[in-house]
Amino acid sequence: MTDAEHDGDEPLGMADAMMIRGEQLRMLRLMADRDEVEREAEASASAGVGSHHDVRAVNDCSSETSNAGSIIEGTDEYEILPTGCKMLNYDSFLRHQRYYDDLKHVDYQYIDYGKLHGGRLIIEQRKSLGKGGICWDAAFILAEHMIANEMDWNSNVGENNEVLVPRLLELGAGTGLAGYLIAKGCVRDAHVITTDLPELLPLMKNNLDLNFASIGCVCEDRRYLKEKFVDDATNISRRGTAEAKVLR
């Protein structure tokens, strides 16, 4: 029995509703199984990657090597950092997605969200920390919504025509993706406070230092990223203010 057969006045019975729900769940399980197969195939294709930093680019065809030494494989464009960690180009990831799937990029330790109004945003994630330690696509979508509707909440002018900088509080920020994206993506100044549990504070602060602090980073990968963009118009520390605190 289909939904179309219940478009009339006859209410949908409980048994029919459960059958429809069961079919939906079966479809979701099939989709999850297909995604798992794709992830395993991508992991197999990435096996044996060297530890030097180079760029792997998008290609829907078979793997090949460019004349610059970059290896073309899979469908994601990513860079190998000095320590061997991978940094995903998020735009390249979105180009081949039929729908958002956070688990498809959990094996990349860094994600480059590209150039924003306030500079480049790069977020570190750690799947070992659980759900709070990964970059959720929903956080990206929320931040994009806030940025697109900035004029509704960030007028920057008070009752006496004084310039005001709005302060935004993000609860359960995890990596800090949504908050830091808003801070850097807005045309006008905004200050964002990201908060979460104590075990996630070091990760939030790492991303805060990488994207907003002018001081150098101790971590080799983060130091490399800061140096890479220091003279670029997309400098990752050029604009935007934020802070990270423990959720209390």
Side-chain angles (χ1 to χ4, degrees):
M1 188 174 294
T2 64
D3 290 335
E5 295 173 356
H6 296 279
D7 290 339
D9 297 330
E10 182 182 351
L12 185 67
M14 181 177 294
D16 293 329
M18 292 179 66
M19 288 290 289
I20 293 172
R21 179 58 175 164
E23 181 62 25
Q24 292 173 339
L25 292 174
R26 282 191 292 274
M27 290 297 298
L28 289 174
R29 282 197 295 271
L30 288 173
M31 292 169 64
D33 290 341
R34 285 197 295 267
D35 289 341
E36 184 62 29
V37 171
E38 290 180 14
R39 282 192 286 271
E40 290 177 356
E42 290 173 2
S44 298
S46 300
V49 171
S51 61
H52 62 289
H53 50 277
D54 56 19
V55 175
R56 282 97 196 296
V58 173
N59 193 328
D60 291 331
C61 303
S62 57
S63 299
E64 59 184 77
T65 304
S66 70
N67 53 16
S70 298
I71 298 176
I72 309 300
E73 62 179 353
T75 53
D76 292 335
E77 179 182 340
Y78 61 92
E79 180 177 357
I80 304 296
L81 301 183
T83 63
C85 294
K86 294 189 293 185
M87 179 174 71
L88 172 68
N89 179 311
Y90 193 66
D91 282 342
S92 75
F93 168 78
L94 290 181
R95 282 197 293 267
H96 65 84
Q97 295 307 303
R98 298 186 302 275
Y99 49 85
Y100 287 98
D101 182 357
D102 313 274
L103 297 181
K104 282 189 175 181
H105 53 61
V106 294
D107 291 325
Y108 295 96
Q109 186 163 343
Y110 294 89
I111 299 181
D112 180 1
Y113 288 91
K115 180 182 177 182
L116 304 168
H117 181 77
R120 184 172 297 272
L121 182 73
I122 296 175
I123 297 293
E124 177 185 0
Q125 62 177 357
R126 298 179 197 161
K127 65 179 181 179
S128 60
L129 292 174
K131 294 180 178 179
I134 66 174
C135 292
W136 290 94
D137 293 327
F140 175 79
I141 296 170
L142 172 61
E144 278 202 325
H145 174 76
M146 292 290 290
I147 294 169
N149 295 277
E150 180 185 356
M151 295 303 104
D152 293 340
W153 58 269
N154 191 2
S155 64
N156 256 82
V157 179
E159 293 181 357
N160 299 318
N161 292 324
E162 72 274 22
V163 177
L164 301 176
V165 177
R167 294 167 61 87
L168 287 76
L169 175 65
E170 182 184 5
L171 303 177
T175 62
L177 168 58
Y180 300 156
L181 185 59
I182 292 170
K184 285 207 164 187
C186 289
V187 175
R188 297 174 175 174
D189 288 337
H191 181 76
V192 177
I193 303 170
T194 56
T195 65
D196 213 309
L197 300 173
E199 57 266 30
L200 291 165
L201 185 61
L203 179 60
M204 277 195 302
K205 284 193 170 181
N206 283 348
N207 287 323
L208 179 69
D209 292 343
L210 175 60
N211 291 281
F212 295 92
S214 58
I215 59 174
C217 294
V218 175
C219 170
E220 184 178 1
D221 284 337
R222 294 198 298 275
R223 184 169 63 248
Y224 162 77
L225 291 171
K226 273 189 172 292
E227 292 172 354
K228 178 178 180 179
F229 296 109
V230 67
D231 294 323
D232 196 310
T234 58
N235 186 347
I236 56 178
S237 298
R238 187 164 59 90
R239 182 173 176 171
T241 58
E243 59 183 295
K245 294 183 177 182
V246 172
L247 179 63
R248 297 187 185 279

